[in-house]
Amino acid sequence: MQNQLFINGAWVAPAKGQMLPVIDPATEEVFHHIAAATEDDADAAVAAARAAFDTGPWPRLSGRERAVYLRAIAQGIRDRLPDLARIEVRDNGKPLPEAEWDLGDAAGCFDYYADLAEDLDDEVEDIALADGRFTAKALREPLGVAVAIVPWNYPLLMASWKVAPALAAGCTMILKPAETTSLTALELGEIAKAAGLPAGVLNILSGKGSVVGQRLIEHPGVDKVAFTGSGPVGSRIMAAGARDIKRVSLELGGKSPFVVFADSDIEKAVEWIMFGIFWNQGQVCSATSRVLVERALYPALLKRLVEEAGKIRIGNGLQDGTLLGPLVNQGQYEDVLRHIARAREQGATVVSGGKRPEGFDKGYYLEPTILTDVPLDSDAWVEEIFGPVVCLRPFDTEGEAIRLANDSRFGLAAAVMSADDARCDRVARAFRAGIVWINCSQPTFTQAPWGGYKQSGIGRELGRWGLDNYLETKQVTRLVSDQPWGWYLKG
Ligand code: NAD
């Protein structure tokens, strides 16, 4: 496992020699140390990316040529998938099958953007002008040096959502993984090196957000910041980018609703509600953490949900059969426990979970937690908890469900379940959210746009929209007429 920084195609020690411990959330053991980059390292990485963009070959290669590197990176991830998945589990805590799933998706993301890079070569658009004396074309060009800042919940996958389209577009970049989970992002440097990526095209800096991250978002040599993380840091990035008009795309948090009508199959509802909030320990930006259930189904559904949540196997992510691993670190664990205590104080009932499971002395483990009677103005209903905690609430009419669902400052995702397709379509349109699931919750596809309304972010990742984040559009207009322009009369 790497413990240095990847700058200009080489592994280098951090300028100030600082290191950060890496803690396994299942055992609380320190099992590695990573480099903590500081301002000087950020400057060196930006200089490398700047040179690679301004004078290097990368942005000048055709999309087809860049695609070869992207496919080699995809293959590099696949070749090392079992070992990378185990690293991800030790770093993040998630169950091994979920880590394998993430890494397969990460490889697929590089392959997908390799295809889009190839398409870019043919993407010169002739523009039909109203004035026949001119012809015009629209060219799409890489926008420059991009910084990608990612969170800890899907470490390599969130990095891939940014690195793959940025490289496909022809940008050069600096990746800043979360300080808690940098290991697989650092391995990506090794994979990119083995793929022969030119020096300076991808630079990777582990280290604290408040130090190296802050320097990167303020750096005048950076053209674009792509961020996934919390709202407060998103605001800082917008503010820092305002000074020199950096391009900014933000994927932030959510408090997503799941509306379940009484004509739903109760077992399917239980399955998707549980997946929607308990996979990845609920540390999912799109988690459907507010479940609204039509009153006729509410008591039976609550009963089944409590029964099934109680059966979820909790344990070390590396153990066979584990469905719920530990939360990512001590800070997050204490934060979620604080949220549960506050929910109780504010009137909610904890009908299931809410505490450390029996038999676990070490590790940041928490039982899957179901809250009811949650007041609409309480923190548990309004704030993102980012843990395995779901709020359940009955509703009486479709209108009430839509109103409650949309009554949030967030708008990342929403889900609806009903046997009535027309109703599902109606509710899907009424949701003020960037991602809507019908009869399910959470499945995510590289080809489809991902991002939020309202305070859940700006811009879209994935699909062709993800590539747009890293491209500028250039108009090229040609005069094809011999007629004088006639602005002034000669002689
Ligand atoms: P965070 O905002 O604390 O950290 C995210 C990243 O920002 C980390 O790499 C961190 O080091 C860096 N950072 C922190 N301060 C910085 C600064 N001043 N300047 C530059 N970088 C800085 O978020 P987190 O706790 O790692 O992640 C959880 C949050 O991410 C949740 O709110 C969640 O909803 C959100 N999230 C959103 C999506 C999405 O697609 N919308 C996906 C995953 C997570």
Side-chain angles (χ1 to χ4, degrees):
M1 287 180 295
Q2 287 299 333
N3 61 2
Q4 292 192 312
L5 306 171
F6 189 59
I7 302 178
N8 208 19
W11 291 101
V12 295
K16 290 212 170 84
Q18 293 174 0
M19 304 297 281
L20 292 170
V22 184
I23 298 167
D24 181 339
T27 61
E28 300 179 37
E29 251 175 75
V30 175
F31 67 98
H32 190 60
H33 284 83
I34 51 168
T38 51
E39 289 84 351
D40 292 343
D41 303 303
D43 293 352
V46 173
R50 195 72 262 167
F53 187 81
D54 293 339
T55 55
W58 189 252
R60 290 154 198 93
L61 295 180
S62 67
R64 283 181 187 79
E65 288 168 313
R66 287 197 296 270
V68 173
Y69 294 90
L70 287 161
R71 293 215 170 86
I73 294 174
Q75 192 53 44
I77 295 174
R78 282 200 188 94
D79 290 344
R80 291 193 49 197
L81 201 143
D83 132 60
L84 290 174
R86 294 181 81 80
I87 294 177
E88 204 79 299
V89 174
R90 289 209 77 190
D91 215 10
N92 165 282
K94 65 176 67 198
L96 185 62
E98 291 188 25
E100 289 168 345
W101 200 352
D102 293 359
L103 292 165
D105 278 1
C109 186
F110 279 94
D111 275 337
Y112 174 76
Y113 281 105
D115 291 349
L116 292 203
E118 290 179 341
D119 294 348
L120 263 183
D121 287 343
D122 308 318
E123 245 197 50
V124 178
E125 190 185 331
D126 289 318
I127 302 167
L129 299 177
D131 186 331
R133 292 172 297 172
F134 301 90
T135 61
K137 290 182 187 307
L139 309 181
R140 307 241 288 157
E141 300 188 336
L143 70 68
V145 172
V147 161
I149 300 182
V150 296
W152 42 255
N153 56 347
Y154 294 91
L156 190 65
L157 185 57
M158 289 295 108
S160 303
W161 284 19
K162 295 174 172 44
V163 174
L167 295 187
C171 289
T172 60
M173 64 186 318
I174 301 109
L175 167 64
K176 212 302 277 169
E179 42 270 62
T180 340
T181 56
S182 298
L183 296 179
T184 49
L186 291 168
E187 295 307 315
L188 183 64
E190 200 50 35
I191 290 169
K193 201 169 173 220
L197 198 72
V201 172
L202 173 63
N203 304 274
I204 305 173
L205 300 180
S206 51
K208 291 194 170 165
S210 55
V211 180
V212 64
Q214 186 68 30
R215 177 64 150 218
L216 288 170
I217 64 175
E218 289 174 349
H219 204 296
V222 169
D223 301 300
K224 151 92 190 175
V225 179
F227 173 73
T228 298
S230 62
V233 178
S235 296
R236 266 174 178 266
I237 288 173
M238 277 189 91
R243 198 188 49 209
D244 34 32
I245 321 292
K246 283 187 181 39
R247 274 63 178 151
V248 170
S249 49
L250 306 174
E251 302 287 348
L252 308 175
K255 189 76 191 178
S256 300
F258 191 164
V259 175
V260 181
F261 286 94
D263 58 359
S264 302
D265 177 308
I266 189 167
E267 295 309 314
K268 287 185 181 153
V270 168
E271 179 175 26
W272 286 109
I273 292 169
M274 296 223 300
F275 184 64
I277 187 64
F278 297 141
W279 79 305
N280 208 34
Q281 294 66 247
Q283 300 163 135
V284 182
C285 52
S286 57
T288 33
S289 52
R290 292 184 295 141
V291 176
L292 296 153
V293 185
E294 197 169 3
R295 199 173 297 276
L297 186 66
Y298 183 82
L301 181 61
L302 176 59
K303 181 167 173 286
R304 285 291 298 125
L305 208 53
V306 170
E307 283 166 7
E308 292 303 311
K311 292 183 198 161
I312 287 179
R313 176 130 21 126
I314 304 173
N316 186 318
L318 291 174
Q319 257 160 20
D320 244 9
T322 292
L323 269 191
L324 199 84
L327 300 196
V328 72
N329 59 24
Q330 188 174 1
Q332 185 64 16
Y333 182 58
E334 286 171 359
D335 208 41
V336 175
L337 286 173
R338 254 194 310 273
H339 265 292
I340 295 169
R342 187 148 174 79
R344 277 199 176 96
E345 279 162 31
Q346 292 184 330
T349 307
V350 179
V351 289
S352 181
K355 56 181 190 344
R356 173 183 273 278
E358 307 237 325
F360 288 84
D361 305 331
K362 283 270 174 212
Y364 308 120
Y365 292 99
L366 176 65
E367 290 176 345
T369 301
I370 301 172
L371 305 179
T372 58
D373 314 311
V374 184
L376 291 176
D377 59 354
S378 68
D379 293 344
W381 189 261
V382 172
E383 302 295 333
E384 183 179 44
I385 297 179
F386 224 58
V389 183
V390 65
C391 302
L392 233 73
R393 184 182 185 89
F395 71 84
D396 291 302
T397 65
E398 184 178 315
E400 183 196 2
I402 292 168
R403 188 177 49 73
L404 287 169
N406 286 339
D407 185 17
S408 170
R409 70 176 193 279
F410 297 113
L412 184 57
V416 55
M417 183 174 272
S418 165
D420 178 344
D421 284 347
R423 172 152 63 185
C424 286
D425 288 340
R426 210 165 48 232
V427 174
R429 283 188 175 275
F431 282 142
R432 297 281 301 151
I435 305 145
V436 174
W437 287 289
I438 295 179
N439 292 335
C440 62
S441 172
Q442 306 303 312
T444 300
F445 303 95
T446 313
Q447 301 76 17
W450 182 273
Y453 284 24
K454 301 192 260 181
Q455 291 186 29
S456 289
I458 296 180
R460 294 293 177 271
E461 295 197 298
L462 298 182
R464 63 180 168 76
W465 301 268
L467 195 62
D468 291 345
N469 281 322
Y470 302 96
L471 291 168
E472 290 282 19
T473 302
K474 178 187 276 177
Q475 175 209 147
V476 180
T477 296
R478 182 190 298 268
L479 174 66
V480 291
S481 160
D482 289 334
Q483 297 299 311
W485 184 234
W487 181 64
Y488 74 100
L489 290 174
K490 279 189 199 158

